[in-house]
Every structure is written in C-alpha cells, then in structure tokens.
Amino acid sequence: MSVKLSAFVWDGCAAAGMKITSVAIMARLADFSNDEGVCWPSVATIARQIGAGPSTVRTALGKLEQDGWISRTARRKGNRNGSNLYQINVKKLRDAAMFHLSESDTSNPDTSKSDASESDRSKSDASKFDPSENSAKAGFHPPESGGDPSVTSKHDPSDKKTLCQAPAEPDPEVVLTDSAKRVLTHLNQVTGSRYQVGKTSLENIRARLGEEFTTNELILTVDYLNAKWSGDLKMAEYLRPATMFQPTKFPGYLSGAQKWAEAGRPKCVNGKWVKAGSEVIGGDNVDVTERDAAYRRFIGSGNPLKKPSQLELTVKAEASKAGVRGMRADFAVSRWNSIWKDCAGRVSGGKAA
C-alpha cells in the first residue's frame, strides 16, 4: 500500500474534475500499489470493494487510461487471462495534488496575529477569576469524585469504552466459491441434474469466474446450452460443468448465449432456432401466420390482399389444381400446409419463407 499515492489521490483527483467512481477506483489502485504506482487487482475485487458493477469499473478504467491517469498491460496465467497490470501515472497524480494544495494554501489569510491577540485577551480574562483561589477562600473543598465524599476513586467506571472493530472484508476465495455454487445450483435446476458441490463440479466454474466472467454470464450460458442441447439425446450428455465451462469453449458458448438472449431466447426445434409465431417443418422455418392467413383468403373467409406475395399466388394455383376447396376441412388444411411447404421451397430456392 502506498500512503503517498493515496494522499495524492484524495488531494488531487476530485479537484481535477474526476467523477466519484473514478476517484474511488484510483484510491483502490493506490492502496494496492507500491510507491512506483504498480499493482494488479482484478476488476471483480475493485467492483466489490467500491460497491459498483464490473462493467462500471471497466468503463471507468478505460476512461482513466484514456485521460492518462493510468496505463494497463494484459497478463496471462498459462492458458488463462490474469488480472491486468496497472501503472499509475505518478507524475500527473502528484502534479494535480500539488496544484490544488497550493491553491488552497494561498486562499487562506494569515490569522496568526489575530489568534495571538485573542490568546492574550483570554489570559487577561482568565486572571480575573481563578476558581481554585476562590474555592480556597470560601473554604469549600469538594471530593475528587465530585459527589459522595465517601467515594475516593478518580475514575468513573462508566468511562470505559468498548472498541468497535470494523468488519473484516470477505475472503475473495470464499466469495468465488459461493458464486460458483450459485451457478451449479442453477445448472441442476434447469437441467434436472444432481451434481454435488465438490472440486470436480466447481473447478471450471471457479476458473471462469476467476477470469472475470460474471455469475450472470455463466448462468446465461447454462440456459442457452440447455435450450440448445436438451432436446438432443446425444448432446444432452454434455450438459455438465466440465464441458460447459471448459476454458477453450466457454467464450464461444457465451457469445452464442448473448446473441440468443438478444433474439428473445427462441426455442430449439430439430436443431433450428424458432421464434414465437413460427414453426419448423422439415428443418425449414415457415411463417405459419402468413400461411394460415393466406388459407383463409383462399377459402373466402379472409380479407383479400391487393398485392399478395408470389408464394401465396403459387400456392393458390397449386391448391386449386388439387381441389383443396372441395375437400373436408381437416384434409383441406393439411393439404394446404403441405402445398405451402413445397412451394416455399421452390420460391426461395429450397428455403422456407
């Protein structure tokens, strides 16, 4: 811990116009640094200690680097990313502190003379009345306890104060393990598994959390892979911590999970993602809303379109040739859907509209 740099932070950063979150981050970096301004705390540690989110800390660190207060160097531990190495710009920090300290010094007038005169007056005033002399003249000698003459103790037992110690910071390893347990519990809930809390189950989860992936990112990845693999008997076997959180695969899984979430978390049917209002037929994604509306128009129960799609015109022609209007309702619908599928493949070059 560098006391010197910590003092520079509090004297100079806020006065230089730095936002309070950035000031807090600079203070933590200074606490972790040597006097040369070198340290390597993780984003998760900084976020926990200042009560901010990891994304907020990353954004603030980027701004501090952009403004020249710090520089960052990426580190690696074997195949894993380690926490960044931070170098505080000691010269800029010291200059900011000295500048604002000099401003505050010149803004305070010299009050030594007035203080001295006040002191002189207080002495002269005090000489007019000396409690000890007056008490002696009056013959009154109170006991040392200030009350009961039988009490001779000079100390009041009630003056004893209980020291209140600040609560110790939680052990980062304990926090990491608790977060890993939360992810494992969620995995068991959504997949119906019963993985036990132990080294084998938690090892990869803790490793990813240690690389500054968040708990929510791991949980999102669990949801994504469960949606993608649970319907496939072969892939469902890989819904396990060792596979889902392995170091070489997890970043790709997370990227897919984020896109999946942005798309509204669609269902996976026959290996295809299907949004609400659509269904998978033969592996092709068919807009059933358009298909069913076109059928109602075909049998005369829907409002006609001024410019129907080429697919609808093609299906109507095929359905008329097949005599769909004369079929029983359930057969007619089934036949229409079949024709729609075939025509969709031809119109779009083998891909359903």
Side-chain angles (χ1 to χ4, degrees):
M1 173 181 178
S2 175
V3 176
K4 177 180 69 175
L5 295 186
S6 294
F8 287 163
V9 168
W10 296 120
D11 287 334
C13 288
M18 190 181 294
K19 292 183 178 180
I20 187 62
T21 300
S22 298
V23 174
I25 292 173
M26 286 292 292
R28 297 311 301 139
L29 292 178
D31 284 345
F32 283 112
S33 295
N34 55 21
D35 285 344
E36 285 70 40
V38 178
C39 60
W40 50 91
S42 68
V43 169
T45 297
I46 297 173
R48 185 184 72 252
Q49 292 181 348
I50 70 171
S55 60
T56 300
V57 173
R58 291 191 184 97
T59 301
L61 286 170
K63 184 68 167 60
L64 289 171
E65 184 176 28
Q66 180 182 347
D67 293 343
W69 292 99
I70 64 171
S71 60
R72 293 183 290 181
T73 304
R75 299 192 306 147
R76 291 187 65 82
K77 297 179 181 179
N79 292 328
R80 297 185 298 172
N81 291 327
S83 58
N84 289 328
L85 183 71
Y86 298 96
Q87 171 65 63
I88 297 175
N89 188 336
V90 177
K91 182 180 183 304
K92 180 170 183 173
L93 185 60
R94 181 179 61 248
D95 291 347
M98 293 299 103
F99 175 77
H100 293 292
L101 280 175
S102 63
E103 278 192 338
S104 62
D105 290 342
T106 56
S107 63
N108 293 329
D110 185 3
T111 59
S112 58
K113 294 182 179 179
S114 61
D115 290 344
S117 61
E118 289 292 334
S119 176
D120 292 340
R121 282 200 299 271
S122 65
K123 289 180 180 178
S124 62
D125 292 342
S127 64
K128 295 179 182 178
F129 179 75
D130 188 343
S132 60
E133 292 181 3
N134 290 334
S135 298
K137 292 177 181 178
F140 175 64
H141 302 280
E144 292 180 348
S145 65
D148 187 351
S150 65
V151 179
T152 59
S153 172
K154 296 182 180 180
H155 302 286
D156 184 353
S158 64
D159 287 341
K160 294 181 180 179
K161 298 180 180 179
T162 302
L163 296 178
C164 181
Q165 296 182 350
E169 291 187 359
D171 186 342
E173 291 298 314
V174 174
V175 173
L176 197 67
T177 299
D178 288 344
S179 297
K181 289 179 181 178
R182 179 185 166 196
V183 174
L184 184 65
T185 299
H186 182 77
L187 187 154
N188 284 335
Q189 289 174 345
V190 300
T191 64
S193 303
R194 300 177 65 181
Y195 290 104
Q196 300 297 312
V197 174
K199 181 179 179 181
T200 303
S201 298
L202 296 180
E203 183 176 17
N204 278 351
I205 300 177
R206 292 183 81 260
R208 302 296 78 75
L209 291 171
E211 293 172 356
E212 300 183 8
F213 291 107
T214 67
T215 303
N216 288 337
E217 287 175 336
L218 269 66
I219 288 176
L220 174 62
T221 303
V222 169
D223 292 342
Y224 165 68
L225 293 178
N226 182 63
K228 185 176 182 180
W229 293 348
S230 61
D232 186 324
L233 292 178
K234 181 179 179 181
M235 296 304 297
E237 298 179 2
Y238 297 103
L239 291 172
R240 57 195 181 199
T243 300
M244 301 167 79
F245 304 110
Q246 58 180 301
T248 57
K249 297 288 186 180
F250 180 75
Y253 292 154
L254 175 59
S255 177
Q258 291 169 335
K259 294 177 182 177
W260 172 71
E262 290 174 359
R265 297 187 173 220
K267 294 182 179 180
C268 186
V269 180
N270 296 330
K272 300 289 184 179
W273 294 113
V274 183
K275 295 183 179 180
S278 300
E279 67 179 13
V280 171
I281 301 178
D284 293 324
N285 201 14
V286 173
D287 189 336
V288 297
T289 303
E290 179 187 4
R291 182 197 65 191
D292 295 346
Y295 176 73
R296 289 192 294 271
R297 288 190 290 270
F298 175 72
I299 62 176
S301 62
N303 296 325
L305 295 178
K306 292 182 178 180
K307 292 183 178 181
S309 66
Q310 181 60 45
L311 174 59
E312 182 174 341
L313 293 174
T314 303
V315 174
K316 282 184 176 180
E318 293 286 338
S320 296
K321 291 180 182 179
V324 171
R325 284 193 182 91
M327 296 179 181
R328 199 173 69 188
D330 53 343
F331 288 119
V333 171
S334 177
R335 182 65 176 138
W336 173 269
N337 292 346
S338 177
I339 295 172
W340 186 278
K341 172 192 169 183
D342 293 337
C343 292
R346 294 199 301 270
V347 169
S348 61
K351 294 183 179 179

